[in-house]
Amino acid sequence: MEPPVRLASTGTIIHGVSVEEVLGVSTLAEARLIAGESGLGRIVQRLNVMEVPDILAWVKPHELLLTTGYPLRNTPQSLGRLVADLDERGLAALAIKLGRYVDELPDEMVEQADRLGFPLILLPNDVGFDDILNQVLTDILNRQAAMLARVEEAHRAMVQVVLAGGGLGEVTAEVAQLLDVSVAAVDGAGQVLATAGPADHVAVLRESISREGPPTSPARTSGRGRAFASVPVLAGGHHHGRIVAYSPSAAIRDGDVGILERAATVAALVVTRQEAVNAVESKYRADFLRDVLTGRAGGIERITARARAFGWDLARPVTVLVAELDPDGDERSAQDRLVSCWTAAMRRHDPRGAVAGFSHEVVAVVDASIDATRVAKDAASAFADVPPATFSTGTSRPSPGAETLPEAYSQALKAARVGRQLHGPGAVAHFDQLGVYRLLSLVNDTDELHAFVRETLGPLASDDDAENADLRRTLQVLLETNLNVAETARRLHFHYNTLRYRIGKLERLLGNFTDDPHLRLNLTLALHVLRMRGI
C-alpha cells in the first residue's frame, strides 16, 4: 500500500523537533526520561503548560505539555488515565516536576506510558517553564526557518531547470542531488516517466511502484525519517501522477517532503507545457492526415516529405484503419482515450505508421504486411480497461501508396459503419468481407436505396405496426432457408400451419415470391438495405 499522499504546505508550522532532540537543549540537561522510550521520535511543534484540571479541552497534537502537577494534587487517581487521554489527542510528551504538588507518579501511569510509547519526562526543579518554552520554541522556529529557506532554494533551482528547457528527467535529477535520494516521476497510469539516482536504488524504487505504489514506511523512531515518500502532481484540477522518492537509509524527513512538493509543482509545469506542445503537434498531424485522406495534401513528393517530418512512412504499401466511437458513450472523454490507445498500439506494431484523431474517430495507416486485426484488437483491449465506451473498426484493402489513400480511407470508413450495423458495437470489419453489403455501401444515392426498400417491401418497410418487424423476421428466415418451410418453422418455433398462414399473408402483401426468384432477390436486397439503415 502507498502512504497517504500529502498535499502542499499551507503556511502553518509543519516542522518540529523530536522529543529526543528536545531533551538535548541546555535547560533540560538534567531532565530524565522515566517512561515511553519508544516514543522519542515523536515530533514536538508547540508547547503548553498544564495549570487547570480540564487541560484536555485545550491541548493540541504535537504538543509538549509541561506541568508541576498542581491541577492534579487533590486527585492523584486521575494520573493513571491522563497518559491515555493525552496520547489519544496526539500529544508528543508530558514533562512534570515532582516533589512540590505530586510526590511520585503511579506505577499504572508509568506502565501505560511504556505500553503506548508516550514519553514521560521528569523535569529538574530549578528550571523555569519560561526558559524551557523559550529554548524549545526558538529551536522549532529556527528549524522551521531553515527548512523554508532550503525548500525555497530548491524551488528556485528546479524552476531554473524548467526555464532552461529541462523536462522531468532534469527535475528528478535535481531533486535526487538535493536530497541524496532516488527519485521517479510517475504518470497517472503508474508508468515511470523519469528516474534519477543510483541504479540499484532506482531498481528498488521501480519495483515498489510496480507493486501498486511504495510500501507504507515503518513508524519513525528517534527522529529518523522514512524510506519512501510520495506527493501528487496536480495541474488544472487534474491528477497527472506523482513524484516518488526512496532512501535506503530511511533518511527522508518532513523538510525533504516539502522539497518533493515543490518538485511536484515544477513537474506540473513541465506536464502542462508538454501537453500544450502535444496538443499543437496533434492538431498539425490530424490536419495533415485529413488532407492526405481527402486528396488535398498536394503531390506525392510533398506528402512523403511532410509525412517523414512526423515520423510516418506513407510511400510504402499500407492499410487504412478507421476506429469510430459507438453511439451512447461519453464521446468527449472517450475520444482522447481512443487516440491514446491507438497511438500506443501503433507504437508497438508499426512505429512508422501514421495515427491521428479526428472529431469522433481515429485513423491509422499501418504497413500492409502487418495484421491490421491484431492492431485493432490491441487498441480495443487497452480501451476496454475503462468501460462503458466502445468503438467499431473498419479496415481497407491494401493501398500501394499515398495517391490511393483517399479511396482506402473511404473503404475503411464504410467497413466500420457497416460492420457496426451488422455485428453491433465493437465490431472489426474488413471492406472485402462485407459481401453484398460492400456493393450496397458503394451506392452514393441513399435516397434511391430507401425508395427501393419502400417499393419492394411495401408496408413492411416501416415499423408503424408492431407486426411488421415480426413479419420481416419470418420473411428473412424463409429466404435464408431457401423457402424450406419445415426448417423455418423450427428456427422460429412456429407450428407448421402457423407458418403457412404467415406465408400466405406475406404473399398478399409482397406478391407471389415463392414462385418468383427475381422477386426473392429483390426482397433479399431490400432486407439487406434495411439492415444497413443509418449508413
Side-chain angles (χ1 to χ4, degrees):
M1 291 291 293
E2 181 179 347
V5 173
R6 204 181 82 157
L7 299 179
S9 305
T10 57
T12 58
I13 294 180
I14 61 171
H15 306 293
V17 294
S18 68
V19 175
E20 186 176 41
E21 290 172 314
V22 167
L23 291 174
V25 301
S26 60
T27 53
L28 295 178
E30 302 299 324
R32 183 165 58 90
L33 181 73
I34 56 178
E37 183 177 2
S38 63
L40 286 176
R42 294 188 182 217
I43 298 301
V44 178
Q45 293 181 347
R46 52 181 69 85
L47 285 83
N48 197 354
V49 177
M50 179 182 182
E51 294 300 347
V52 293
D54 60 340
I55 188 64
L56 294 177
W58 306 98
V59 296
K60 296 178 182 179
H62 301 295
E63 276 187 348
L64 170 60
L65 186 60
L66 308 175
T67 183
T68 61
Y70 178 79
L72 306 170
R73 66 192 187 285
N74 296 322
T75 55
Q77 66 276 10
S78 63
L79 287 172
R81 177 63 192 166
L82 180 62
V83 167
D85 290 336
L86 295 178
D87 179 71
E88 184 179 338
R89 286 160 176 77
L91 265 74
L94 173 66
I96 187 169
K97 288 185 178 183
L98 296 179
R100 186 171 183 181
Y101 300 110
V102 177
D103 292 330
E104 61 181 5
L105 299 179
D107 292 341
E108 177 189 357
M109 183 178 186
V110 175
E111 292 172 1
Q112 194 170 49
D114 277 328
R115 186 171 63 255
L116 296 174
F118 183 85
L120 287 180
I121 301 169
L122 180 61
L123 295 174
N125 288 322
D126 58 346
V127 176
F129 283 173
D130 56 340
D131 293 329
I132 298 174
L133 290 169
N134 285 336
Q135 278 201 4
V136 176
L137 285 176
T138 298
D139 198 3
I140 291 174
L141 292 175
N142 287 342
R143 185 76 59 87
Q144 173 79 358
M147 291 285 189
L148 292 176
R150 181 169 177 246
V151 169
E152 188 62 30
E153 181 181 353
H155 182 71
R156 282 198 299 269
M158 286 182 285
V159 168
Q160 283 301 120
V161 168
V162 177
L163 292 177
L168 290 176
E170 288 74 16
V171 171
T172 54
E174 186 71 21
V175 176
Q177 182 178 356
L178 285 168
L179 302 182
D180 193 22
V181 296
S182 296
V183 183
V186 186
D187 66 12
Q191 184 73 28
V192 176
L193 303 177
T195 60
D200 52 340
H201 297 171
V202 169
V204 174
L205 187 56
R206 282 183 176 274
E207 183 181 356
S208 69
I209 292 169
S210 68
R211 295 196 308 262
E212 300 181 353
T216 303
S217 302
R220 283 175 287 175
T221 59
S222 301
R224 292 192 298 270
R226 68 198 78 174
F228 289 93
S230 176
V231 296
V233 177
L234 303 173
H238 298 288
H239 193 292
H240 294 280
R242 53 203 166 104
I243 299 292
V244 187
Y246 165 64
S247 169
S249 60
I252 303 175
R253 300 174 181 271
D254 282 350
D256 299 329
V257 175
I259 290 177
L260 291 176
E261 289 170 353
R262 296 301 181 95
T265 301
V266 174
L269 293 176
V270 175
V271 170
T272 52
R273 181 188 67 187
Q274 190 58 48
E275 284 184 344
V277 172
N278 291 343
V280 173
E281 290 182 350
S282 178
K283 182 180 183 305
Y284 278 124
R285 285 194 296 267
D287 289 346
F288 170 63
L289 188 57
R290 185 182 291 108
D291 288 343
V292 171
L293 298 176
T294 55
R296 300 197 306 265
I300 300 302
E301 291 184 1
R302 183 173 184 271
I303 291 175
T304 303
R306 288 197 62 187
R308 193 179 298 114
F310 289 122
W312 300 343
D313 184 0
L314 301 183
R316 56 185 175 165
V318 293
T319 300
V320 176
L321 295 92
V322 171
E324 192 173 50
L325 284 171
D326 294 321
D328 304 326
D330 184 355
E331 186 168 320
R332 184 171 60 179
S333 61
Q335 178 64 16
D336 291 339
R337 190 156 48 89
L338 184 65
V339 174
S340 298
C341 291
W342 272 91
T343 301
M346 288 291 289
R347 191 180 299 120
R348 287 189 290 271
H349 292 274
D350 184 10
R352 295 189 299 159
V355 60
F358 297 166
S359 58
H360 62 286
E361 68 190 36
V362 173
V363 179
V365 183
V366 64
D367 191 321
S369 64
I370 293 176
D371 186 349
T373 302
R374 284 188 60 193
V375 180
K377 289 182 178 179
D378 190 0
S381 177
F383 191 75
D385 289 344
V386 189
T390 59
F391 65 87
S392 297
T393 307
T395 306
S396 74
R397 293 170 173 167
S399 170
E403 66 276 4
T404 56
L405 283 177
E407 180 183 355
Y409 170 63
S410 177
Q411 293 170 0
L413 189 59
K414 287 174 181 176
R417 295 178 179 177
V418 173
R420 180 190 295 115
Q421 292 293 328
L422 298 181
H423 308 296
V428 179
H430 193 287
F431 184 72
D432 281 343
Q433 297 172 346
L434 299 180
V436 68
Y437 296 101
R438 185 181 80 216
L439 299 177
L440 293 173
S441 70
L442 295 175
V443 179
N444 293 325
D445 191 348
T446 56
D447 290 338
E448 186 63 32
L449 283 176
H450 295 157
F452 171 75
V453 171
R454 290 192 298 270
E455 293 167 5
T456 306
L457 294 179
L460 297 187
S462 69
D463 291 327
D464 295 339
D465 189 334
E467 188 183 15
N468 288 348
D470 199 21
L471 287 173
R472 282 201 308 270
R473 172 63 177 157
T474 301
L475 175 62
Q476 180 179 334
V477 177
L478 273 169
L479 295 172
E480 288 175 355
T481 61
N482 198 24
L483 301 182
N484 186 324
V485 178
E487 176 63 17
T488 301
R490 187 188 66 80
R491 288 192 188 183
L492 296 176
H493 307 288
F494 287 160
H495 189 274
Y496 186 86
N497 291 335
T498 301
L499 183 57
R500 279 294 181 188
Y501 168 77
R502 284 185 168 235
I503 292 173
K505 187 170 184 178
L506 284 169
E507 290 200 313
R508 288 193 297 273
L509 291 170
L510 305 174
N512 189 17
F513 64 89
T514 57
D515 294 325
D516 187 345
H518 295 291
L519 178 55
R520 289 200 298 273
L521 176 60
N522 288 342
L523 290 172
T524 301
L525 288 174
L527 289 173
H528 284 328
V529 173
L530 199 60
R531 194 176 178 189
M532 292 171 59
R533 181 182 297 163
I535 300 175

